[in-house]
Structure formats: C-alpha cells, structure tokens
Amino acid sequence: QVQLEESGGGLVQVGDSLRLSCVDIGRAFTHLAVGWFRQTPGKERDFVAAINWDGASTYYSDRVRGRFTISRDSAENTVYLQMNSLNLDDTAVYFCATQTEGILTAANTYDNWGPGTQVTVSS
C-alpha cells in the first residue's frame, strides 16, 4: 500500500536552493506517476511538477520550469524535487501524491497524498 511522506522543507532566503524528498514508506509506488503540488493558506492546491513511473517523462508548471527538477530513484522508493533560485512566491506547503493515469496536472486526479512539508522563502 502506498504511503507517502515528504521531507526537506525549511526556511531559506531568496535565491537559495532546497531539495524535497517524497518517500513511499509502503514501497508500492514503483509503477505510478508522482506529482508535486503546493498550497498556501486559503488557496487551492497548485500543480508544480510530475514524473511518470519510470522517470522517462516529466512535466512542470510554467512558474517553476527551468528552476525546479523532478526525479525519482526507484531503488530508494523516492521522488525528489530540486528547487533552485527560490523566490518569495515559492513559499507554500509542498505535497506529493500518486497518479495511475500518468502525468496529469489536476490535483483531484491524484491519490495517496502525503502530509506535506513547509517551504518558506524570506527576503
């Protein structure tokens, strides 16, 4: 059974980098696409990036393309989100979730959400 847990968030300054991890504790998401989303208080959960089951395909939102990189290590049951050149608008709680249909951007098509990890970017 898939059970996701995010980590790696923290407080950083504008221009800094962070790497988030999404670990499948249940060791069952090998054949599932995984997406990263983020959410700020009072707003909907926004798509950030997604990767297909074998890591061959990725997709990014326009707001992070060129700054963020999603990758996965199947041996470690982990999907990473490398975030570079962070800016104030990147402040949010970041979540990962699984998708059975491949790379999609709608949050309501994803399952097995983790509890999230807070990323705060300060000036």
Side-chain angles (χ1 to χ4, degrees), residues 4 17 20 39 51 63 77 100 108:
L4 303 183
S17 298
L20 304 184
Q39 188 171 26
I51 189 166
R63 296 179 65 183
N77 293 290
T100 60
N108 62 7

Side-chain angles (χ1 to χ4, degrees), residues 8 100-101 122:
T100 60
E101 301 296 326
S122 66

Side-chain angles (χ1 to χ4, degrees), residues 32-50:
L32 298 174
V34 175
W36 281 99
F37 290 77
R38 64 189 182 185
Q39 188 171 26
T40 55
K43 296 189 176 181
E44 295 184 350
R45 200 163 289 189
D46 289 334
F47 173 79
V48 174

Side-chain angles (χ1 to χ4, degrees), residues 72-91:
R72 69 189 300 164
D73 183 334
S74 296
E76 297 294 328
N77 293 290
T78 302
V79 170
Y80 300 100
L81 185 67
Q82 177 67 42
M83 307 187 296
N84 298 330
S85 301
L86 286 163
N87 59 52
L88 297 177
D89 290 339
D90 295 319
T91 294

Side-chain angles (χ1 to χ4, degrees), residues 48-69:
V48 174
I51 189 166
N52 75 331
W53 71 276
D54 66 356
S57 297
T58 59
Y59 187 74
Y60 300 89
S61 72
D62 289 343
R63 296 179 65 183
V64 308
R65 187 176 293 114
R67 299 188 297 123
F68 291 11
T69 302

Side-chain angles (χ1 to χ4, degrees), residues 31-35 97-106 109-112:
H31 295 291
L32 298 174
V34 175
T98 61
Q99 166 55 262
T100 60
E101 301 296 326
I103 294 179
L104 299 178
T105 61
T109 66
Y110 282 75
D111 300 306
N112 303 308

